[in-house]
Amino acid sequence: MEIEKRKEGGVLIASVRGRIDAVTAPDFDQAAAEIVAAGEKTLILETGGLEYISSAGLRSILALAKALKAREGRVVFAGLTGGPKNVFKISGFETIFGAYDTVEEALKNL
Amino acid sequence: MERDRRLRAPASLSSLGDLSAFVASCLEEGGHEPRRVGEVGLCVEEALVNIASYAYPEGPGEVTVTCRETAEGDLVIEIEDEGIPFDVLAREDPDVRAGLDERQPGGLGIYLIKRLMDVVAYRREGGRNILTLVVKAPPGRRSAGPGS
């Protein structure tokens, strides 16, 4: 799993690639902890390059979302596709977080 | 697939790569499409995580995964451990319509298995927990009979 961060119009966008499974979820948690520690409120997770996510990854995302919500922030998703999109749908995560096709669309809806 | 294929490994997350690759090779041999291979890999991970977390509170144990193809081309995957009795299917499903505040971590792994697999079954037999996952034959093979 790799995470690359950038800012667009003051909004943090984290691009996640590869797999978030039970083995790599702690790496995601660490990146998430850095984002929270930096005082960020709003985050777009760009997941076009996310190939696989299991319940361990969903758990990490839930924890991150709860931490951001505690400071009235939120996380939205852009570019979910394939297996991860289906996992999000089954888990109800698409509804909870809002999932957009592109980062541009996500930015417009923040 | 002429006969059962079996892999035995430590019941820990360190086995995830080996078990996933093993099951993927069984599915690819049966002509299953990549999307399905990914979904089954996810279910195998969820089952392994469960066993690694709960089956052996006293110390290390093992997990055995067996793949067998039926005459109809379905793939039957059995995931076994010799740990404490644990019927994963007896767990209540999480409320996937709950909002962020109501959501508690946990429970989604088993739920994903139930939703993604064609058939899921649990039995306790000879001191073992046996979780059976059935993956229906890929569309192109469904009408093919044995020996084809």
Side-chain angles (χ1 to χ4, degrees):
Chain A
M1 189 212 59
E2 287 166 32
I3 296 186
E4 228 174 73
K5 291 180 273 187
R6 67 176 191 279
K7 287 233 173 181
E8 270 185 42
V11 178
L12 179 65
I13 299 164
S15 185
V16 192
R17 308 183 62 82
R19 299 169 61 88
I20 311 181
D21 58 23
V23 173
T24 58
D27 299 338
F28 181 89
D29 290 340
Q30 197 183 332
E34 285 167 17
I35 288 168
V36 173
E40 299 289 347
K41 284 174 69 173
T42 305
L43 168 70
I44 296 175
L45 269 178
E46 186 180 28
T47 46
L50 182 66
E51 294 156 11
Y52 176 101
I53 186 163
S54 65
S55 70
L58 295 180
R59 180 186 287 259
S60 298
I61 285 170
L62 191 62
L64 169 62
K66 280 178 180 280
L68 292 177
K69 190 169 183 190
R71 58 170 69 136
E72 291 168 356
R74 63 187 289 219
V75 55
V76 300
F77 291 82
L80 273 170
T81 178
K85 187 179 175 68
N86 193 34
V87 166
F88 264 60
K89 191 178 280 180
I90 292 172
S91 313
F93 273 40
E94 261 191 349
T95 323
I96 294 182
F97 298 115
Y100 302 95
D101 289 342
T102 62
V103 168
E104 291 69 33
E105 211 180 313
L107 280 167
K108 271 186 227 155
N109 284 283
L110 279 178
Chain B
M1 203 178 297
E2 293 292 315
R3 59 186 104 79
D4 292 5
R5 287 179 60 190
R6 182 170 283 127
L7 184 71
R8 197 165 166 82
S12 76
L13 287 185
S14 61
S15 300
L16 180 57
D18 286 348
L19 290 183
S20 300
F22 169 69
V23 173
S25 76
C26 296
L27 284 157
E28 279 154 11
E29 204 173 302
H32 294 265
E33 57 191 61
R35 182 187 60 84
R36 203 62 182 133
V37 175
E39 289 172 353
V40 179
L42 171 63
C43 294
V44 170
E45 174 187 331
E46 302 297 354
L48 174 67
V49 166
N50 222 50
I51 292 168
S53 309
Y54 305 114
Y56 300 106
E58 302 293 328
E62 290 191 313
V63 58
T64 304
V65 178
T66 308
C67 293
R68 183 180 70 252
E69 199 176 276
T70 67
E72 293 76 31
D74 297 348
L75 188 71
V76 179
I77 303 165
E78 288 193 332
I79 303 169
E80 302 179 20
D81 65 75
E82 291 95 45
I84 56 173
F86 186 56
D87 179 359
V88 292
L89 302 184
R91 270 189 82 152
E92 202 174 316
D93 290 339
D95 180 4
V96 294
R97 285 178 297 185
L100 180 56
D101 292 336
E102 295 79 41
R103 280 291 183 122
Q104 297 303 321
L108 282 173
I110 304 299
Y111 183 68
L112 286 168
I113 295 179
K114 289 187 197 169
R115 288 288 307 271
L116 289 171
M117 290 298 93
D118 294 308
V119 180
V120 186
Y122 166 85
R123 68 183 194 274
R124 179 82 185 170
E125 189 179 282
R128 292 169 301 159
N129 296 301
I130 305 174
L131 182 69
T132 306
L133 314 178
V134 179
V135 189
K136 291 284 184 198
R141 290 194 57 194
R142 233 159 246 170
S143 57
S148 60

